Amino acid sequence: MEKKTSVIFTQVIERPKRKAIIKRGVKAGDYYEFCQEAGCDVWGVLQSVKEALYEPAGFWLPDKLITPGTSRYVQGVEVPEGYGGKIPEGFELITLEACSMLVFQGEPFEDKDFEAAIGAVWESIDKYRPETYGYKWSKDAPRFQLSPEGYRGYIEARPVEKIK
């Protein structure tokens, strides 16, 4: 039997204290559920934020950032800590503390195969042991996923902290 191996690129990045413009769902646990609750036009609104630090993302919020009656999964875009711009109607501005993120990036894929590409990265994340490199998983910051674009591979980041 031949088993296909895939390469998952990983790196730790440091995120400064910043803010995020987010749209909350009600019970959404993932992208599909979020679109059913909030609609699929949220991404376009987020892409219009000129002060964004990078592209929009889907976030799984830590417990401390979930407000009663709202979902763990939200969509948002990070903006500088001193952001004073417009907040689109139905969105809110939250503060994200500085944190370390372990970024996972899968291999490029055919766009039609995005679900398999996401699954392959998730499988790798489930097996990954950050302790090998002096880190442990953290529950203090949001996990995030970028739009799965075939040309670059699926990208997801999970919060980590150094082992003391």
Side-chain angles (χ1 to χ4, degrees):
M1 287 178 37
E2 183 179 319
K3 184 176 179 185
K4 183 183 183 297
T5 350
S6 58
V7 175
I8 307 291
F9 174 75
T10 59
Q11 70 175 335
V12 174
I13 60 169
E14 299 301 324
R15 302 295 299 146
K17 186 173 183 178
R18 64 232 180 263
K19 300 213 178 207
I21 297 170
I22 64 165
K23 173 85 172 178
R24 294 182 189 270
V26 180
K27 296 179 183 175
D30 61 33
Y31 171 80
Y32 292 115
E33 292 172 357
F34 181 85
C35 280
Q36 289 176 341
E37 293 178 4
C40 294
D41 58 339
V42 173
W43 212 257
V45 173
L46 294 169
Q47 286 177 317
S48 71
V49 177
K50 292 180 181 17
E51 300 87 344
L53 295 175
Y54 65 92
E55 68 189 272
F59 296 92
W60 286 270
L61 298 176
D63 290 343
K64 68 182 181 181
L65 293 176
I66 299 173
T67 57
T70 66
S71 63
R72 179 171 304 280
Y73 187 88
V74 303
Q75 287 186 352
V77 67
E78 293 183 1
V79 293
E81 182 182 6
Y83 180 76
K86 182 181 175 199
I87 314 251
E89 186 175 335
F91 290 72
E92 68 182 91
L93 189 66
I94 62 171
T95 299
L96 300 176
E97 297 299 326
C99 66
S100 300
M101 300 295 293
L102 182 54
V103 179
F104 296 83
Q105 182 173 5
E107 293 182 26
F109 57 90
E110 294 294 323
D111 286 335
K112 66 179 176 46
D113 298 328
F114 74 94
E115 288 178 330
I118 292 170
V121 172
W122 283 357
E123 187 178 311
S124 291
I125 292 171
D126 288 344
K127 294 181 204 170
Y128 196 85
R129 298 293 168 252
E131 299 82 6
T132 304
Y133 304 100
Y135 289 91
K136 64 181 180 177
W137 299 119
S138 173
K139 295 182 181 191
D140 290 335
R143 161 185 160 200
F144 72 81
Q145 67 181 165
L146 300 181
S147 177
E149 304 287 340
Y151 73 92
R152 68 179 181 191
Y154 175 65
I155 300 170
E156 183 167 320
R158 305 266 178 118
V160 290
E161 55 189 74
K162 288 190 184 231
I163 297 173
K164 297 176 177 145

